[in-house]
Amino acid sequence: MANSLYDRLFGIHAGKATPFLHLPDGQVLTHAAFLDMAARLANALMGLELEPGDRVAVQVEKSPETLALYAACAQTGLIFLPLNTAYTTTELQYFIENSGAKLVVCDTSNEAGLTPIAQAQNAHLATLNADGSGSLMRRALGMLPAFEPVSRSEDDLAAFLYTSGTTGRSKGAMLTQANLLSNAETLVQEWRFTKDDVLLHALPIFHTHGLFVATNVVLASSGSMIFLPKFDLDNILRLMPEATSMMGVPTFYTRLLGDDRFTGDLARHMRLFISGSAPLLAETHEQFVARTGHRILERYGMTETNMNTSNPYDGERRAGTVGFPLPDVELKVTDPETGAPLPQGEIGMIEVRGPNVFKGYWQMPEKTAAELREDGFFITGDLGRVDEDGYVHIVGRGKDLIISGGYNIYPKEIELLLDDQPGVLESAVIGVPHPDFGETVLGILVPQPGQALDLDAILARVQDQLARFKHPRKLIVLDELPRNTMGKVQKNALRETYKDSFTQG
Ligand code: MCA
Ligand code: AMP
């Protein structure tokens, strides 16, 4: 029985005592031990009478067990739905309800808050903590360490990742086995990953970058990874001598450069540094070359498409560009109004097509139709151009989006909440430059006539509802918002006015 995702990422390692995860305390988990854990989990999942295609919503800390749960979902044909650990109960409720999850896996500390939400839709709830404790592993440990993978076609769904939208409502991006596999195998080739690679893995595993890029590339190449719970500079510096490669968001690289202990000597043996999820400033790229001699390889992707472009492994890695379309990925630049292709060199909407492009948004046919053309091209919302040598440059965003430390934040979601606060007439949320996170969130409030705003109380209410990384780092009160003649808020003008809010003084 075929199950390509399981077979090609996990099954290939059956019975191998080769290292897969190097843990920060020095322990090593072999491929075989990892697969045993995954099979026990697969048996535990099937014991809950879940059916292939059911969604498993997972909000847990990064751990080997969490990765094994991903493998177990592949093995059982369940759809893995990882969720940012920063999400509040209010945010989680939406994802659980919208996806119709049949199983919710959470940290014990969130069990009380999520139980009524799971119960309301007859979903099971199990706990899994950072140290591997909790009801899920307790159940799994009583199971056999063998499980025959459920047969799945490559067109079957393997994962949902929620991505916010300009309307403020998150959409579940449906990713197939083929989406994940094709991209992983392409990236192994493009970036020359082999069984000898040891990837320094400090990214979260609830997003594309840490899970479908970093983890899948390591699995598909039979390499191993130094599996860190989070980005911690001391750990990164301590463990870099044992690694061959690292993937990170630009904040990883600016933080490394900000520390004098990060020397050329420490990095010299490394084979490859990769950056993505947010623009890497050309200045950061150049500083990195000056310090280490390494040119960071920048690539460009999205939740809906996995990776689209990459700078070359051999050949010039050009700062400020995201390189060339990957093999199998077609990329064109179109007129944002008409969709007509633009002449080479002109700036327009980036559209992509290929085996990496998702199947659509879960139960949102209109949103799918608005972004995914019938001919298979996905309208990315990113504005860019292709230069005379074929390098893709991302020059801006057609979508109202803030990227803070690699996390996407949709202003609309925060504006809707701010508008609801007592005394607030309207609000505008913008991204402004931030030395550590690249961009951060600034909220601008207009009070109702004659009202004084209690900013502390407003912030406190926002904090209850929204994940920490989405919180406005500053609130500013204005009498009115700048608007154009059509009445549209001029966010560009606001971004210009407040651009130095976090970078100076
Ligand atoms: C943490 N905080 C943040 C962020 N992360 N605030 C804004 N933006 C963030 N990204 C909060 C913390 O809760 C904390 O709150 C305060 O900011 C400072 O925390 P700190 O300890 O400095 O943060 P950290 O834990 O070191 O995290 C920063 C980080 C992390 C290492 C940059 O956010 C991270 O790992 N980012 C990677 C995100 C990622 O994987 N993106 C890929 C998406 P307090 O003030 O209360 O202490 S996939 C994608 O985009 C596409 C597909 C692609 O192309 O890859
Ligand atoms: P997400 O939908 O959370 O996966 O975020 C995808 C978005 O991140 C893209 O549409 C881009 O706007 C941005 N992005 C990813 N990689 C890069 C990059 N290397 N340079 C600039 N923007 C990037």
Side-chain angles (χ1 to χ4, degrees), residues 163 207-208 275-280 298-304 321-322 380-382 394 396-397 399 401 403 406-408 410:
T163 159
H207 278 312
T208 300
S275 177
S277 306
L280 182 78
E298 185 171 9
R299 60 34 170 208
Y300 156 62
M302 295 187 69
T303 298
E304 290 91 335
T321 82
V322 293
T380 62
D382 292 310
I394 297 177
R397 295 179 200 134
K399 51 193 172 192
L401 164 70
I403 306 184
Y407 287 143
N408 285 15
Y410 280 83

Side-chain angles (χ1 to χ4, degrees), residues 202-204 207-210 230-231 249 251-252 255 276-277 299-303 307 404-408 436-437 468-469 473:
L203 288 158
H207 278 312
T208 300
H209 197 162
K230 58 172 286 199
F231 183 88
V249 296
T251 301
F252 285 21
R255 286 188 182 182
S277 306
R299 60 34 170 208
Y300 156 62
M302 295 187 69
T303 298
M307 299 303 100
S404 167
Y407 287 143
N408 285 15
D436 186 30
F437 292 132
R468 171 74 183 123
F469 67 89
R473 293 299 159 119

Side-chain angles (χ1 to χ4, degrees), residues 163-194:
T163 159
S164 286
T166 40
T167 57
R169 239 183 118 212
S170 285
K171 304 164 288 186
M174 301 188 287
L175 296 156
T176 65
Q177 289 209 347
N179 293 151
L180 304 183
L181 272 175
S182 63
N183 216 235
E185 288 169 354
T186 298
L187 297 175
V188 168
Q189 299 301 320
E190 289 296 295
W191 298 338
R192 311 282 197 274
F193 271 82
T194 71

Side-chain angles (χ1 to χ4, degrees), residues 439-451:
E439 279 184 296
T440 198
V441 181
L442 186 76
I444 297 156
L445 301 173
V446 177
Q448 286 163 355
Q451 297 274 339

Side-chain angles (χ1 to χ4, degrees), residues 191 193 197 199-200 209 236-237 240-241 243-248 252-253 256 262-276 280 285 288-289 291-299 310-313 317:
W191 298 338
F193 271 82
D197 266 295
L199 180 82
L200 198 43
H209 197 162
I236 298 281
L237 294 168
M240 191 172 286
T244 62
S245 45
M246 187 174 102
M247 295 186 196
F252 285 21
Y253 295 106
L256 278 170
F262 181 59
T263 59
D265 278 350
L266 195 73
R268 194 143 302 128
H269 72 287
M270 291 283 277
R271 182 179 73 76
L272 185 60
F273 291 95
I274 301 177
S275 177
L280 182 78
H285 182 106
F288 206 85
V289 179
R291 178 88 62 95
T292 67
H294 285 284
R295 289 201 170 274
I296 299 172
L297 184 154
E298 185 171 9
R299 60 34 170 208
S310 173
N311 268 281
Y313 187 83
R317 297 179 196 162

